[in-house]
Amino acid sequence: MASDEGGNPCTPTYLTAAWARTLAALNIEHVRLHDARHSCATLMHARGVPIAAIAVWLGHASSAFTMATYTHAQNEALKAAGTSFR
């Protein structure tokens, strides 16, 4: 678990504010922190990380929930699927 400067567990409000400050410092358009969570799961899935490991990484009890909610097909994966019938 992440902690603040004082070693205390971070609250969701603290993490959201830290995320917003980081994006602003990097001059990146605002993206919700929760959306980054989806991106993380999707990228892990695209790189072949087992879904059970992704589920644990995200703190989910169910791999099925992780697959249904957090992983999204990427264009390259869709193209590969389409060419698999050749």
Side-chain angles (χ1 to χ4, degrees):
M1 167 163 272
S3 59
D4 66 15
E5 293 86 357
N8 302 307
C10 292
T11 64
T13 301
Y14 177 88
L15 291 172
T16 299
W19 176 254
R21 286 191 305 272
T22 301
L23 293 177
L26 295 171
N27 199 30
I28 297 173
E29 184 178 333
H30 180 74
V31 175
R32 293 181 318 149
L33 181 56
H34 191 80
D35 293 334
R37 184 174 163 89
H38 284 259
S39 296
C40 176
T42 299
L43 290 171
M44 290 170 86
H45 180 62
R47 292 185 172 130
V49 175
I51 192 62
I54 299 170
V56 171
W57 181 271
L58 295 175
H60 297 159
S62 166
S63 295
F65 174 80
T66 303
M67 280 297 290
T69 307
Y70 279 84
T71 60
H72 309 287
Q74 298 294 299
N75 287 338
E76 290 304 313
L78 293 171
K79 288 176 189 174
T83 61
S84 70
F85 293 105
R86 291 183 186 175

